[in-house]
Amino acid sequence: MSGRRRSLQLLALAGVLGATLTTPAGAESRGADRDISRDTLATDDGWAAADGGTTGGSTADDAHVLTVRTRSELVRALDGGSATPKIIRIAGTIDANTSDGGERLDCADYATDGYDLRKYLAAYDPRTWGSAKPSGPQEEARQASAARQAERVELAVGSNTTIVGLKGAVLKGASLQLRGADNVIVRDLELRDAYDCFPLWQPNTGGLGDWKTAYDNIWVRGSSHVWIDHVTISDKGHQDEDEPTYFGRNYLRHDGLLDITNASDLVTVSWSRFADHDKGILIGNGDTATGDRGKLRVTLHHNQFENVVQRAPRVRFGQVHLYNNRYVVPADAHDYRYSLGVSTESAVYAENNAFTTPGHIEVADLAKSWNGTALHQTGTLFNGYPVDLLAIHNAYNSGSERDLTADVGWTPTLHQKIDSAGKADREVARGAGAGRIR
């Protein structure tokens, strides 16, 4: 890592900003504003700064500093998820659901082997099919159709990569997949509508059954040293609440906004906006994933969670520092479930977070526990008033959940200045999300 830093210093001294394939560096971006594509994470900015820090593609040579405007250009720039240092600047709107020739693809274009939603619903109606896992021709056709879409929308991001958005950049319909990668930066980019054309019916989920979808906008799995900063992630374009109901359940089209799983480690998520979605951020994907022990060290700070129903975040196993975040539940929200999910062996250290909710949501609703044992919280602000979130959670949920202790077994030391919840609430409202780097 020291070599990477020396290279970065030499580049800075030389004034090297990199070149693009098609236009001068940052031409359609920030005008006189600075180029951020060679930025590296500050040495004190959360877990991703540990053990050598996170520098992304900052040492990329000119041949690997690329501006992309189409899915095909983006795929070529990602280079199959290679570890070659690279900087990828996204310009305009790139839709992952497009052909190699640039034609827009919809769900009908992916459907194959006779898949038909009406036939699928008829085949697996619980009143006739029962509670068995779907199998047979229509499920096989669904799987084949889903694989065709996955080939388009799942984009592998390799080690030593920086992805930045130029002014107004949008990545639509894509799932960025960081699998086994190290040293990745994603900044100043709007990601929206990772839309699944072929949800799977799971009869035994949640007692009534439910629809399972495939794509997270960003999935970090088995990866380390990841910095996600000033991104905006939402379902914009297709809201799940507008989808029909089948088998008595909402026909969901989206999975998580950001998942961090499979022993990923040393991740910082900062100054980002997560909006208008059911499942926000999942850290650790299973109670039996004991390989996550000692991993999943994540810092979340100065993020805005707006109209997120649940998982902001939900944590298993990880040591998660959660500070100076802003939570907004809109007045007309009637499906809100919780914000902080305390699950198996999790160790969440929450400081100075602010919640704004309508009157039907209580402090006791903000945190939920599944096999969790501890939650450290201080400085919580609820509709402008300081509250003891832990004490209220224990008092109101003692009949259904075990009491949580305040001892999570660790104290964060790697972080920048922690402001009061009130100050952070105001600053995050102004500064979180794509297009707001100052």
Side-chain angles (χ1 to χ4, degrees):
M1 185 63 70
S2 59
R4 283 195 304 209
R5 284 180 176 159
R6 284 196 296 269
S7 298
L8 180 60
Q9 290 169 351
L10 291 172
L11 287 167
L13 290 171
V16 177
L17 294 178
T20 68
L21 281 177
T22 54
T23 59
E28 53 281 272
S29 168
R30 301 170 182 84
D33 293 351
R34 65 181 178 86
D35 177 14
I36 66 167
S37 59
R38 291 193 186 272
D39 285 1
T40 61
L41 182 67
T43 57
D44 59 352
D45 196 353
W47 274 119
D51 297 348
T54 300
T55 61
S58 59
T59 62
D61 59 28
D62 289 355
H64 292 93
V65 181
L66 311 173
T67 295
V68 300
R69 295 175 174 78
T70 67
R71 177 194 173 277
S72 294
E73 290 179 351
L74 176 57
V75 169
R76 288 197 297 272
L78 288 168
D79 191 27
S82 78
T84 303
K86 63 184 76 66
I87 294 171
I88 302 171
R89 298 173 174 137
I90 294 179
T93 297
I94 293 179
D95 191 340
N97 288 291
T98 53
S99 69
D100 290 341
E103 294 85 7
R104 177 75 172 87
L105 301 175
D106 60 23
C107 295
D109 294 309
Y110 297 121
T112 189
D113 295 353
Y115 175 82
D116 181 276
L117 177 58
R118 290 172 297 180
K119 293 180 181 178
Y120 188 91
L121 294 172
Y124 307 114
D125 188 325
R127 293 170 295 186
T128 54
W129 178 260
S131 60
K133 181 180 178 181
S135 62
Q138 274 300 305
E139 171 56 18
E140 293 169 4
R142 188 204 64 80
Q143 292 179 24
S145 302
R148 294 183 68 184
Q149 185 183 19
E151 185 180 2
R152 291 278 102 189
V153 304
E154 292 184 346
L155 303 177
V157 180
S159 300
N160 308 314
T161 298
T162 292
I163 299 174
V164 299
L166 302 182
K167 185 176 181 180
V170 176
L171 182 57
K172 179 181 177 183
S175 177
L176 293 181
Q177 307 256 319
L178 283 63
R179 182 185 298 184
D182 178 69
N183 195 35
V184 176
I185 296 172
V186 182
R187 299 186 76 200
D188 206 18
L189 178 64
E190 180 178 355
L191 301 102
R192 68 171 69 150
D193 195 23
Y195 184 85
D196 186 353
C197 286
F198 308 101
L200 165 67
W201 173 244
Q202 293 186 311
N204 291 316
T205 300
L208 298 175
D210 210 350
W211 293 98
K212 179 176 174 57
T213 52
Y215 307 119
D216 305 309
N217 294 80
I218 303 178
W219 190 0
V220 181
R221 46 180 165 167
S223 296
S224 59
H225 292 106
V226 177
W227 180 29
I228 297 169
D229 177 67
H230 278 93
V231 300
T232 295
I233 314 183
S234 74
D235 294 345
K236 188 174 182 179
H238 288 103
Q239 299 293 325
D240 279 336
E241 64 186 25
D242 296 330
E243 294 290 335
T245 296
Y246 298 128
F247 306 154
R249 306 293 282 175
N250 184 213
Y251 190 54
L252 298 175
R253 297 293 193 143
H254 304 89
D255 195 9
L257 295 177
L258 167 63
D259 278 13
I260 303 169
T261 65
N262 298 83
S264 290
D265 201 18
L266 305 179
V267 178
T268 296
V269 183
S270 55
W271 292 101
S272 293
R273 183 171 179 263
F274 302 89
D276 303 324
H277 188 79
D278 183 2
K279 304 176 183 71
I281 299 177
L282 180 66
I283 300 175
N285 62 333
D287 292 344
T288 60
T290 54
D292 288 342
R293 286 176 178 149
K295 304 290 186 179
L296 298 176
R297 292 175 290 178
V298 179
T299 300
L300 300 173
H301 73 84
H302 293 93
N303 302 294
Q304 176 161 311
F305 297 91
E306 181 178 356
N307 196 25
V308 172
V309 175
Q310 57 184 316
R311 299 186 183 176
R314 179 175 178 179
V315 182
R316 297 178 177 94
F317 295 102
Q319 291 183 342
V320 176
H321 191 196
L322 187 72
Y323 75 88
N324 280 173
N325 297 286
R326 181 175 194 256
Y327 295 81
V328 180
V329 182
D332 59 352
H334 297 290
D335 56 352
Y336 174 82
R337 294 184 60 187
Y338 67 93
S339 293
L340 310 184
V342 181
S343 299
T344 302
E345 296 185 34
S346 62
V348 177
Y349 200 103
E351 296 183 273
N352 298 14
N353 299 292
F355 296 81
T356 300
T357 76
H360 66 276
I361 293 175
E362 304 289 346
V363 176
D365 298 323
L366 303 181
K368 184 172 177 58
S369 173
W370 296 265
N371 300 319
T373 60
L375 169 66
H376 178 95
Q377 72 81 43
T378 56
T380 302
L381 205 62
F382 179 75
N383 289 334
Y385 293 92
V387 296
D388 187 332
L389 176 59
L390 180 63
I392 294 173
H393 172 273
N394 286 341
Y396 279 80
N397 296 288
S398 59
S400 58
E401 301 174 10
R402 74 175 74 176
D403 283 356
L404 301 174
T405 73
D407 183 8
V408 294
W410 73 293
T411 301
T413 58
L414 198 59
H415 57 79
Q416 298 184 324
K417 182 176 182 292
I418 300 177
D419 291 317
S420 69
K423 182 178 179 181
D425 191 39
R426 296 187 296 272
E427 292 190 349
V428 170
R430 291 192 298 265
R436 296 185 175 185
I437 293 180
R438 292 177 289 183

Coordinates of all heavy atoms in Angstrom, one line a residue, residues 242-306:
D242 N -46.1 0.6 -6.9 CA -47.0 0.7 -8.0 C -47.2 -0.7 -8.7 O -47.9 -0.8 -9.7 CB -46.4 1.7 -9.0 CG -46.3 3.1 -8.4 OD1 -47.2 3.4 -7.6 OD2 -45.4 3.9 -8.8
E243 N -46.4 -1.7 -8.3 CA -46.6 -3.0 -8.9 C -47.8 -3.7 -8.4 O -48.3 -3.4 -7.3 CB -45.3 -3.9 -8.6 CG -44.0 -3.4 -9.1 CD -44.0 -3.5 -10.6 OE1 -44.6 -4.4 -11.2 OE2 -43.2 -2.7 -11.3
P244 N -48.3 -4.7 -9.2 CA -49.5 -5.4 -8.8 C -49.3 -6.3 -7.6 O -48.2 -6.5 -7.2 CB -49.9 -6.2 -10.0 CG -48.7 -6.3 -10.8 CD -47.8 -5.1 -10.5
T245 N -50.4 -6.9 -7.1 CA -50.3 -7.9 -6.1 C -50.7 -9.3 -6.7 O -51.7 -9.4 -7.3 CB -51.3 -7.6 -4.9 OG1 -50.9 -6.4 -4.3 CG2 -51.3 -8.7 -3.9
Y246 N -49.8 -10.3 -6.4 CA -50.0 -11.6 -6.9 C -49.9 -12.6 -5.7 O -48.9 -12.4 -4.9 CB -49.1 -12.1 -8.0 CG -49.2 -11.3 -9.2 CD1 -48.0 -10.7 -9.8 CD2 -50.4 -11.0 -9.9 CE1 -48.1 -10.0 -11.0 CE2 -50.5 -10.3 -11.1 CZ -49.3 -9.8 -11.6 OH -49.4 -9.0 -12.8
F247 N -50.8 -13.5 -5.5 CA -50.8 -14.4 -4.4 C -50.9 -13.6 -3.1 O -50.3 -14.1 -2.1 CB -49.6 -15.3 -4.4 CG -49.4 -16.1 -5.7 CD1 -48.1 -16.5 -6.1 CD2 -50.5 -16.4 -6.5 CE1 -47.9 -17.2 -7.2 CE2 -50.3 -17.1 -7.7 CZ -49.0 -17.5 -8.1
G248 N -51.5 -12.5 -3.1 CA -51.7 -11.7 -1.9 C -50.4 -10.9 -1.5 O -50.4 -10.4 -0.4
R249 N -49.4 -10.9 -2.3 CA -48.1 -10.2 -2.0 C -47.7 -9.3 -3.1 O -47.9 -9.6 -4.3 CB -47.0 -11.3 -1.7 CG -47.3 -12.3 -0.7 CD -47.5 -11.8 0.7 NE -46.2 -11.5 1.3 CZ -46.0 -10.9 2.4 NH1 -47.0 -10.5 3.2 NH2 -44.8 -10.7 2.9
N250 N -47.1 -8.2 -2.7 CA -46.6 -7.2 -3.6 C -45.6 -7.8 -4.6 O -44.7 -8.5 -4.1 CB -46.0 -6.0 -2.9 CG -45.6 -4.9 -3.8 OD1 -44.6 -4.2 -3.5 ND2 -46.3 -4.6 -4.9
Y251 N -45.8 -7.6 -5.9 CA -44.9 -8.2 -6.9 C -43.6 -7.4 -6.9 O -43.5 -6.6 -7.8 CB -45.6 -8.3 -8.2 CG -44.9 -9.1 -9.3 CD1 -44.5 -10.4 -9.0 CD2 -44.6 -8.6 -10.5 CE1 -43.9 -11.2 -10.0 CE2 -44.0 -9.3 -11.5 CZ -43.6 -10.6 -11.3 OH -43.0 -11.3 -12.2
L252 N -42.7 -7.6 -6.0 CA -41.5 -6.8 -5.9 C -40.6 -7.0 -7.1 O -40.5 -8.1 -7.7 CB -40.7 -7.3 -4.6 CG -41.4 -7.1 -3.3 CD1 -40.6 -7.7 -2.2 CD2 -41.7 -5.6 -3.0
R253 N -40.0 -5.9 -7.4 CA -39.0 -5.9 -8.6 C -37.6 -5.5 -8.2 O -36.7 -5.5 -9.0 CB -39.5 -4.9 -9.6 CG -40.9 -5.2 -10.2 CD -40.8 -6.5 -11.1 NE -42.0 -6.6 -11.9 CZ -42.0 -7.1 -13.1 NH1 -40.9 -7.5 -13.7 NH2 -43.2 -7.2 -13.8
H254 N -37.4 -5.1 -6.9 CA -36.1 -4.7 -6.5 C -35.7 -5.4 -5.2 O -36.5 -5.7 -4.4 CB -36.1 -3.2 -6.2 CG -36.6 -2.3 -7.4 ND1 -37.9 -2.0 -7.6 CD2 -35.9 -1.8 -8.4 CE1 -38.0 -1.3 -8.7 NE2 -36.8 -1.1 -9.2
D255 N -34.4 -5.6 -5.1 CA -33.8 -6.2 -3.9 C -33.2 -5.1 -3.0 O -33.9 -4.1 -2.7 CB -32.8 -7.3 -4.2 CG -32.4 -8.2 -3.1 OD1 -33.1 -8.1 -2.0 OD2 -31.5 -9.0 -3.2
G256 N -32.0 -5.1 -2.7 CA -31.4 -4.1 -1.8 C -30.8 -3.0 -2.6 O -30.4 -3.1 -3.8
L257 N -30.6 -1.8 -2.0 CA -29.9 -0.7 -2.6 C -28.4 -1.0 -2.5 O -27.7 -0.8 -3.5 CB -30.2 0.6 -1.9 CG -31.7 1.1 -2.0 CD1 -31.9 2.3 -1.3 CD2 -32.0 1.3 -3.5
L258 N -27.9 -1.5 -1.4 CA -26.5 -1.8 -1.2 C -26.4 -3.0 -0.2 O -26.9 -2.9 0.9 CB -25.8 -0.6 -0.6 CG -24.4 -0.8 -0.1 CD1 -23.4 -1.3 -1.1 CD2 -23.8 0.5 0.6
D259 N -25.8 -4.0 -0.6 CA -25.5 -5.2 0.2 C -24.0 -5.4 0.4 O -23.3 -5.3 -0.6 CB -26.2 -6.5 -0.3 CG -27.7 -6.6 0.0 OD1 -28.3 -5.6 0.4 OD2 -28.2 -7.7 -0.3
I260 N -23.6 -5.6 1.7 CA -22.2 -5.9 2.0 C -22.2 -7.2 2.7 O -22.6 -7.4 3.9 CB -21.7 -4.8 2.9 CG1 -21.9 -3.4 2.2 CG2 -20.2 -5.0 3.2 CD1 -21.6 -2.2 3.1
T261 N -21.7 -8.3 2.0 CA -21.9 -9.6 2.5 C -20.7 -10.5 2.3 O -19.7 -10.0 1.7 CB -23.1 -10.3 1.8 OG1 -22.8 -10.5 0.4 CG2 -24.4 -9.5 2.0
N262 N -20.8 -11.8 2.6 CA -19.8 -12.8 2.3 C -18.4 -12.4 2.8 O -17.4 -12.4 2.0 CB -19.8 -13.1 0.8 CG -21.1 -13.6 0.3 OD1 -22.0 -12.8 0.1 ND2 -21.2 -14.9 0.2
A263 N -18.3 -12.0 4.0 CA -17.0 -11.7 4.7 C -16.3 -10.5 4.0 O -15.1 -10.3 4.1 CB -16.0 -12.9 4.7
S264 N -17.1 -9.6 3.4 CA -16.5 -8.3 3.0 C -16.0 -7.6 4.3 O -16.4 -7.8 5.4 CB -17.5 -7.5 2.3 OG -17.8 -8.0 1.0
D265 N -15.1 -6.6 4.0 CA -14.4 -6.0 5.2 C -13.9 -4.6 4.8 O -13.5 -4.4 3.6 CB -13.3 -6.9 5.7 CG -12.9 -6.6 7.1 OD1 -13.7 -6.0 7.9 OD2 -11.8 -7.0 7.6
L266 N -13.8 -3.7 5.8 CA -13.1 -2.4 5.6 C -13.8 -1.6 4.6 O -13.3 -1.4 3.5 CB -11.6 -2.6 5.4 CG -10.9 -3.4 6.4 CD1 -9.4 -3.5 6.0 CD2 -11.0 -2.9 7.8
V267 N -15.0 -1.2 4.9 CA -15.9 -0.4 4.0 C -16.3 0.9 4.6 O -16.7 0.9 5.8 CB -17.2 -1.3 3.6 CG1 -18.1 -0.5 2.6 CG2 -16.8 -2.6 2.9
T268 N -16.3 2.0 3.9 CA -16.8 3.2 4.3 C -17.8 3.7 3.3 O -17.6 3.8 2.1 CB -15.7 4.3 4.4 OG1 -14.8 3.9 5.5 CG2 -16.3 5.7 4.8
V269 N -19.0 4.1 3.8 CA -20.1 4.6 3.0 C -20.4 6.0 3.5 O -20.8 6.1 4.7 CB -21.3 3.7 3.0 CG1 -22.4 4.3 2.1 CG2 -21.0 2.3 2.6
S270 N -20.2 7.0 2.7 CA -20.3 8.4 3.3 C -21.1 9.3 2.3 O -21.1 9.1 1.1 CB -18.9 8.9 3.5 OG -18.1 8.9 2.3
W271 N -21.8 10.3 2.9 CA -22.4 11.4 2.2 C -23.2 10.9 1.0 O -23.2 11.5 -0.1 CB -21.3 12.4 1.7 CG -20.7 13.1 2.9 CD1 -19.5 12.9 3.4 CD2 -21.3 14.2 3.6 NE1 -19.3 13.8 4.5 CE2 -20.3 14.6 4.6 CE3 -22.5 14.9 3.5 CZ2 -20.6 15.7 5.5 CZ3 -22.7 16.0 4.4 CH2 -21.8 16.3 5.3
S272 N -24.0 9.8 1.2 CA -24.8 9.2 0.2 C -26.3 9.3 0.5 O -26.6 9.5 1.7 CB -24.3 7.8 -0.1 OG -23.0 7.8 -0.7
R273 N -27.1 9.1 -0.5 CA -28.5 9.3 -0.3 C -29.2 8.0 -0.8 O -29.0 7.5 -1.9 CB -29.1 10.4 -1.1 CG -30.6 10.7 -0.9 CD -31.0 12.0 -1.6 NE -32.4 12.2 -1.5 CZ -33.3 11.9 -2.4 NH1 -32.9 11.4 -3.6 NH2 -34.6 12.1 -2.2
F274 N -29.9 7.3 0.1 CA -30.7 6.1 -0.2 C -32.2 6.4 0.0 O -32.6 6.9 1.0 CB -30.3 5.0 0.8 CG -28.8 4.7 0.8 CD1 -27.9 5.4 1.6 CD2 -28.3 3.7 -0.1 CE1 -26.5 5.1 1.6 CE2 -26.9 3.5 -0.1 CZ -26.1 4.2 0.7
A275 N -32.9 6.2 -1.1 CA -34.3 6.8 -1.1 C -35.3 5.9 -1.8 O -35.0 5.1 -2.7 CB -34.2 8.1 -1.9
D276 N -36.5 6.0 -1.3 CA -37.7 5.5 -1.9 C -37.6 4.0 -2.3 O -37.7 3.5 -3.4 CB -38.0 6.2 -3.2 CG -38.2 7.7 -3.0 OD1 -38.8 8.1 -1.9 OD2 -37.8 8.5 -3.8
H277 N -37.4 3.2 -1.2 CA -37.1 1.8 -1.4 C -37.5 1.0 -0.2 O -37.6 1.5 0.9 CB -35.5 1.6 -1.6 CG -35.1 0.3 -2.0 ND1 -35.2 -0.2 -3.3 CD2 -34.5 -0.7 -1.3 CE1 -34.7 -1.4 -3.4 NE2 -34.3 -1.8 -2.2
D278 N -37.6 -0.3 -0.4 CA -38.0 -1.2 0.8 C -36.7 -1.5 1.6 O -36.5 -1.0 2.6 CB -38.7 -2.4 0.2 CG -39.1 -3.4 1.4 OD1 -38.9 -3.0 2.6 OD2 -39.6 -4.5 1.1
K279 N -35.8 -2.3 1.1 CA -34.7 -2.8 1.8 C -33.5 -2.0 1.4 O -33.0 -2.0 0.3 CB -34.4 -4.3 1.5 CG -35.6 -5.2 1.7 CD -35.3 -6.6 1.3 CE -36.5 -7.6 1.5 NZ -37.6 -7.3 0.5
G280 N -32.9 -1.3 2.4 CA -31.8 -0.3 2.2 C -30.5 -1.0 2.1 O -30.0 -1.3 1.0
I281 N -29.8 -1.3 3.3 CA -28.5 -1.8 3.3 C -28.5 -3.0 4.2 O -28.9 -3.0 5.4 CB -27.5 -0.7 3.9 CG1 -27.5 0.5 3.0 CG2 -26.1 -1.3 4.0 CD1 -26.6 1.6 3.5
L282 N -28.0 -4.1 3.6 CA -27.8 -5.4 4.4 C -26.3 -5.6 4.6 O -25.6 -5.6 3.6 CB -28.5 -6.5 3.6 CG -28.4 -7.9 4.3 CD1 -29.2 -8.0 5.6 CD2 -28.8 -9.0 3.3
I283 N -25.9 -5.8 5.8 CA -24.6 -6.1 6.2 C -24.5 -7.5 6.8 O -25.0 -7.6 8.0 CB -24.0 -5.0 7.1 CG1 -24.0 -3.6 6.4 CG2 -22.5 -5.4 7.5 CD1 -23.6 -2.5 7.3
G284 N -24.1 -8.5 6.1 CA -24.1 -9.8 6.6 C -25.4 -10.5 6.1 O -26.5 -10.0 6.5
N285 N -25.4 -11.6 5.4 CA -26.6 -12.1 4.8 C -27.2 -13.3 5.4 O -28.1 -13.9 4.9 CB -26.3 -12.3 3.3 CG -25.3 -13.4 3.0 OD1 -24.4 -13.6 3.8 ND2 -25.3 -14.0 1.9
G286 N -26.6 -13.8 6.5 CA -27.2 -15.0 7.1 C -26.7 -15.3 8.5 O -25.5 -15.0 8.9
D287 N -27.6 -15.8 9.3 CA -27.3 -16.0 10.7 C -26.3 -17.2 10.9 O -25.6 -17.2 11.9 CB -28.5 -16.4 11.5 CG -29.5 -15.2 11.7 OD1 -29.1 -14.1 11.4 OD2 -30.7 -15.5 12.0
T288 N -26.2 -18.0 9.9 CA -25.2 -19.1 10.0 C -23.9 -18.9 9.2 O -23.1 -19.8 9.2 CB -25.9 -20.4 9.4 OG1 -26.2 -20.2 8.0 CG2 -27.1 -20.8 10.1
A289 N -23.7 -17.7 8.7 CA -22.5 -17.3 7.9 C -21.4 -17.0 8.9 O -20.9 -15.8 9.0 CB -22.8 -16.2 7.0
T290 N -20.9 -18.0 9.7 CA -19.9 -17.7 10.7 C -18.6 -17.3 10.1 O -17.8 -16.8 10.9 CB -19.8 -19.0 11.6 OG1 -19.4 -20.1 10.7 CG2 -21.1 -19.3 12.3
G291 N -18.4 -17.5 8.9 CA -17.1 -17.0 8.2 C -17.1 -15.5 8.2 O -16.0 -14.9 8.0
D292 N -18.2 -14.8 8.6 CA -18.2 -13.3 8.6 C -17.6 -12.8 10.0 O -17.4 -11.6 10.1 CB -19.7 -12.8 8.5 CG -20.2 -13.0 7.1 OD1 -19.4 -13.1 6.2 OD2 -21.4 -12.9 6.9
R293 N -17.4 -13.7 10.9 CA -16.9 -13.3 12.2 C -15.5 -12.6 12.0 O -14.7 -13.1 11.3 CB -16.7 -14.4 13.2 CG -18.1 -14.9 13.7 CD -17.9 -16.1 14.6 NE -19.2 -16.6 15.2 CZ -19.4 -17.8 15.5 NH1 -18.6 -18.8 15.2 NH2 -20.6 -18.2 16.0
G294 N -15.3 -11.4 12.6 CA -14.1 -10.7 12.4 C -14.0 -9.9 11.2 O -13.0 -9.2 11.0
K295 N -15.0 -10.0 10.4 CA -15.1 -9.2 9.1 C -16.3 -8.2 9.2 O -16.8 -7.9 10.3 CB -15.3 -10.2 7.9 CG -14.2 -11.2 7.8 CD -12.9 -10.6 7.4 CE -11.9 -11.7 7.1 NZ -10.5 -11.1 6.7
L296 N -16.7 -7.8 8.1 CA -17.9 -6.8 8.0 C -17.7 -5.6 8.9 O -18.6 -5.1 9.5 CB -19.2 -7.6 8.4 CG -19.6 -8.8 7.4 CD1 -20.8 -9.5 8.0 CD2 -19.8 -8.3 6.0
R297 N -16.5 -5.1 8.9 CA -16.2 -3.8 9.6 C -16.6 -2.7 8.6 O -15.9 -2.5 7.6 CB -14.8 -3.8 10.0 CG -14.5 -4.8 11.1 CD -13.0 -4.9 11.5 NE -12.2 -5.5 10.4 CZ -10.9 -5.6 10.5 NH1 -10.2 -5.1 11.6 NH2 -10.2 -6.1 9.5
V298 N -17.6 -1.9 9.0 CA -18.2 -0.9 8.0 C -18.4 0.4 8.8 O -18.9 0.3 9.9 CB -19.5 -1.5 7.5 CG1 -20.1 -0.4 6.5 CG2 -19.3 -2.8 6.7
T299 N -18.1 1.5 8.2 CA -18.5 2.8 8.7 C -19.5 3.4 7.8 O -19.4 3.5 6.5 CB -17.3 3.7 8.7 OG1 -16.3 3.2 9.6 CG2 -17.7 5.1 9.2
L300 N -20.6 3.9 8.4 CA -21.7 4.6 7.6 C -21.8 6.0 8.3 O -22.2 6.1 9.4 CB -23.0 3.9 7.7 CG -23.1 2.5 7.2 CD1 -24.5 1.9 7.5 CD2 -22.9 2.4 5.7
H301 N -21.5 7.0 7.5 CA -21.6 8.4 8.1 C -22.1 9.4 7.1 O -21.8 9.3 5.9 CB -20.3 8.8 8.7 CG -19.2 9.2 7.8 ND1 -19.1 10.5 7.2 CD2 -18.1 8.5 7.3 CE1 -18.0 10.5 6.4 NE2 -17.4 9.3 6.5
H302 N -22.9 10.3 7.6 CA -23.4 11.5 6.8 C -24.2 11.0 5.6 O -24.1 11.5 4.5 CB -22.3 12.4 6.4 CG -21.6 13.1 7.5 ND1 -20.5 12.7 8.2 CD2 -22.0 14.3 8.1 CE1 -20.2 13.5 9.1 NE2 -21.1 14.5 9.2
N303 N -25.0 9.9 5.8 CA -25.9 9.4 4.8 C -27.3 9.8 5.1 O -27.7 10.0 6.2 CB -25.8 7.9 4.7 CG -24.3 7.5 4.3 OD1 -23.8 7.7 3.3 ND2 -23.7 6.8 5.3
Q304 N -28.1 10.0 4.0 CA -29.5 10.2 4.2 C -30.3 9.0 3.8 O -30.2 8.5 2.6 CB -30.0 11.4 3.4 CG -31.5 11.7 3.5 CD -31.8 13.1 3.1 OE1 -31.2 14.1 3.6 NE2 -32.8 13.3 2.2
F305 N -31.2 8.5 4.7 CA -32.1 7.5 4.4 C -33.5 8.1 4.3 O -34.1 8.4 5.4 CB -32.0 6.4 5.5 CG -30.7 5.7 5.5 CD1 -29.7 6.2 6.4 CD2 -30.4 4.6 4.7 CE1 -28.5 5.6 6.4 CE2 -29.2 4.0 4.8 CZ -28.2 4.5 5.7
E306 N -34.1 8.2 3.1 CA -35.3 8.9 3.0 C -36.4 7.9 2.4 O -36.2 7.4 1.3 CB -35.1 10.1 2.0 CG -36.4 10.9 1.8 CD -36.1 12.1 0.9 OE1 -34.9 12.3 0.6 OE2 -37.1 12.8 0.6

